[in-house]
Every structure is written in C-alpha cells, then in structure tokens.
Amino acid sequence: MRFIKTVAMVAGLAMASALAHAEPVTIKFSHVVAENTPKGQMALKFKELAEQRLPGKVVVEVFPNSQLFGDNKVLEAMLLGDVQIAAPSLSKFNKYTKQLQVFDLPFLFKDMEAVERFQQGPAGQELLNSMTGKGLLGLGYLHNGLKQLSATRELRSPKDADGLKFRIQSSDVLAAQFEALGAIPLKKPFSEVFLLLQTKAIDGQENTWSNIYSKKFFEVQEHITASNHGLIDYLVVTSNEFWSGLPDDMRTELDGAMKEAIAHGNKIAEEKAVNDRKRIADSGRSTILDLSDAERAQWVEAMKPVWDKFAGEIGQDLIDAAVASNN
Ligand code: LMR
C-alpha cells in the first residue's frame, strides 16, 4: 500500500513539474486565402488574442495562401495531428458530412443577415457537431459573403453559361448547380484557380468579392455578374482529440479568443463585400453586371431544381430551417 502511495506521489510530482516547465502548446492554423481577407484577418486576430491571454502557454502559427495545406488536404492533416485549426469553406466538408451541403443550395439565403440567423439558431448550432463521429468539431462560423459569377463572356442569362467550364469547390451540389445550366463544373483547389483562368483552361468561376479581388481573378475575367446566388462562409474546425486534450482553462480561453476573432473577421467580411467590389469596378479590368429582377428570376428558375436533388441527403427539416431564416 505504502509503495503504491509513494509511486502515485512521485508520478504526481513529475506531472506537476512537467506542466510547470511544459513547452507551449503549438497551434497550427492553416488556410488558403490571402491575409487581407476576412479569414486571413480572423486567423491573425486569433493568434494575437490567444498568445496575449495565454502567455508562454500557447503559440499560434498561421499559414495563409495554402502554404501548409490546401483545403482538400487540411482535414486529413488535422485528423493526423499535423494542423490544429482550419476554416475551410462550408462547401469542402462533403467527405465528412452531407448536412453542411445545405449551405451550397443556390438562392437559399436572401442576404447575410439570414445566414447569420440560421447559423446562430438551433439548427445551425447543431451542425457544429455534425462531424464529431468523424473526429472533427466545429468551433464556429465565419462569414465571407455571397458569391458572384465571373467568366470570359457576359453572363446575363443562364443560357450564356451553356458549355462553359467553371471551376468549383469540392461540392456535389455546386457540380449539380452548374450542370443545371448546361455548363461543365471542374473541382479544383483554390490555389490553382488564378492560373487556370489565366491560361483559359477554364472559362469561369464563382466566388466572393473578397476572393475575386484578393486573388486577382478580376484581372483575368472580363465579366462579373453580381448574382449573389450562393454563399462562401467558413466552418472553423478543430479535431476532437486536440480540443478535448487541452486543459479546461486553456480551452475556455481559446474558445473566447476564437469568438472574438470571428466577430472581428465578420466585420471585415461586411466591409469587403462592399469595398472589394468597388476596388474591382475602379480597376476597370472587369465589367460588373447587375441583374434586373426579371433576369435574376431566370437564374433562380435554372438553378433551383438542384434543391430537390439533394433534399434527401441534407434533410428537408434543415432546408426548411434555413429557408425560415429569411423571414
Ligand atoms: C474557394 O475555394 O473558392 C474558397 O473556398 C476559398 C476560401 O477559403 O475562401
């Protein structure tokens, strides 16, 4: 008995001393966009706050521009423990859950306020846990904004997209959306888009004003249609194993820092949706087409049949909850 007590005491002392001299926890945060974007700024804010609040205990290393991993590899890397935080677009979780596909349904949200209501409501909050069975945990949502269509030719009506090749993110809903237009969707990593557009290997793409501006897509796409037909937002994600292995007080601090960083990123997203559009317009490199209500209705009519195709996988309840957030 005495022996066991002694062993326990020694082990306890060893652990206390290890913690006292513990190396800081290194958090690698990998993402694919530029630093002057909502996600780029959110990641830097998280680093600042986390290191300020947990001095000597945490080091956050941020890797922008797909420097460490592209979005197609980052989740595998996370499950292997090679990266601790990422914020892929909601369109890039197909392999892990079908439910997040709800965010890809075209013309689902009327504006970003509706998106926010859905994400913060019960259905959106439940989705943060939709991949825990696969080892991934959502820490929160971050906005980028509504998507616009760009191409080498003017896209005024859906038939203008017929036969064109569009780069898409790795989402089956987005593939179906372009197929509904008679276009050819190609799933390609974000890091390749500029070159594919520049070399005319593809004709068009869909993205937010912030991504079109910061990655210079507007310099190689003459036409942008302000379609607001879909969403690029992010799920800030970590692995269950990493997150649950943190000491409680550290996890609480990091969670608070992340919430503040997300709020900071969301403010930037709002600003960029307006100002990056303006910067593109001012550049004179692309023309921006605003659709009339009648023209927009044609795009809705062409794309919306996609909803029925995916309602089974996504769940009609979830789609209904998202639709209800428009009111
Ligand atoms: C894309 O691949 O177009 C976007 O998801 C990139 C991003 O992270 O905003």
Side-chain angles (χ1 to χ4, degrees):
M1 192 60 183
R2 182 180 300 163
F3 174 71
I4 293 177
K5 263 194 194 154
T6 311
V7 169
M9 233 171 69
V10 170
L13 284 175
M15 196 180 282
S17 128
L19 281 176
H21 300 102
E23 291 289 308
V25 173
T26 299
I27 300 178
K28 292 191 173 136
F29 187 154
S30 169
H31 69 82
V32 299
V33 291
E35 287 197 322
N36 61 336
T37 58
K39 184 160 52 181
Q41 291 299 305
M42 176 281 246
L44 293 175
K45 179 56 89 180
F46 174 69
K47 173 181 169 63
E48 178 194 318
L49 295 175
E51 291 180 352
Q52 206 175 70
R53 291 175 189 177
L54 294 161
K57 293 190 182 160
V58 160
V59 173
V60 181
E61 296 174 354
V62 179
F63 300 88
N65 293 312
S66 311
Q67 273 165 16
L68 190 60
F69 294 107
D71 269 343
N72 297 339
K73 286 272 174 293
V74 75
L75 297 174
E76 284 165 38
M78 183 169 280
L79 291 172
L80 292 172
D82 293 335
V83 57
Q84 286 68 43
I85 295 187
S89 124
L90 290 161
S91 314
K92 292 178 178 168
F93 290 90
N94 268 221
K95 261 208 220 154
Y96 301 90
T97 173
K98 297 293 176 203
Q99 287 185 300
L100 289 176
Q101 293 185 123
V102 69
F103 289 102
D104 280 340
L105 295 177
F107 295 106
L108 175 61
F109 297 107
K110 73 170 191 216
D111 52 28
M112 292 306 290
E113 283 75 38
V115 174
E116 174 72 10
R117 277 194 292 275
F118 176 62
Q119 290 174 348
Q120 300 312 323
Q125 290 298 299
E126 221 171 279
L127 284 177
L128 295 177
N129 297 319
S130 58
M131 296 176 290
T132 46
K134 301 266 168 71
L136 297 172
L137 176 68
L139 295 177
Y141 297 98
L142 171 71
H143 297 316
N144 185 330
L146 296 175
K147 283 185 292 192
Q148 320 303 330
L149 286 164
S150 76
T152 45
R153 72 159 86 123
E154 184 183 78
L155 301 174
R156 185 176 288 277
S157 98
K159 66 177 172 5
D160 297 326
D162 189 29
L164 296 189
K165 290 193 196 115
F166 284 87
R167 176 269 173 172
I168 56 164
Q169 304 172 81
S170 54
S171 151
D172 294 342
V173 177
L174 299 180
Q177 171 196 283
F178 280 103
E179 279 158 8
L181 303 174
I184 302 147
L186 297 164
K187 291 179 182 168
K188 295 285 178 190
F190 187 59
S191 55
E192 291 177 21
V193 181
F194 180 84
L195 198 63
L196 289 168
L197 293 172
Q198 191 186 39
T199 57
K200 305 235 174 340
I202 53 174
D203 306 298
Q205 63 88 46
E206 52 170 12
N207 231 305
T208 59
W209 293 114
S210 160
N211 282 345
I212 294 171
Y213 178 70
S214 58
K215 287 293 175 188
K216 301 190 182 344
F217 299 161
F218 70 100
E219 293 185 1
V220 286
Q221 293 273 270
E222 277 160 55
H223 300 279
I224 303 177
T225 299
S227 51
N228 289 330
H229 65 284
L231 174 74
I232 290 191
D233 262 15
Y234 306 111
L235 186 70
V236 182
V237 71
T238 186
S239 79
N240 291 340
E241 197 181 330
F242 169 70
W243 200 245
S244 63
L246 292 171
D248 288 351
D249 53 342
M250 188 181 278
R251 192 185 316 109
T252 306
E253 280 296 354
L254 290 176
D255 197 42
M258 183 54 82
K259 289 205 163 65
E260 278 182 48
I262 287 176
H264 177 73
N266 284 345
K267 265 203 219 115
I268 291 172
E270 223 179 302
E271 179 265 309
K272 293 215 165 277
V274 177
N275 291 341
D276 284 351
R277 173 186 167 139
K278 193 167 170 326
R279 289 179 183 113
I280 293 167
D282 291 349
S283 77
R285 302 289 289 262
S286 296
T287 57
I288 298 177
L289 171 69
D290 282 304
L291 299 170
S292 68
D293 288 349
E295 285 164 348
R296 189 175 152 85
Q298 288 181 31
W299 288 93
V300 175
E301 197 192 340
M303 287 182 172
K304 221 158 155 201
V306 167
W307 288 33
D308 286 343
K309 228 174 143 185
F310 290 89
E313 282 183 9
I314 295 170
Q316 191 58 47
D317 288 1
L318 204 49
I319 298 178
D320 293 345
V323 170
S325 67
N326 285 315
N327 303 317

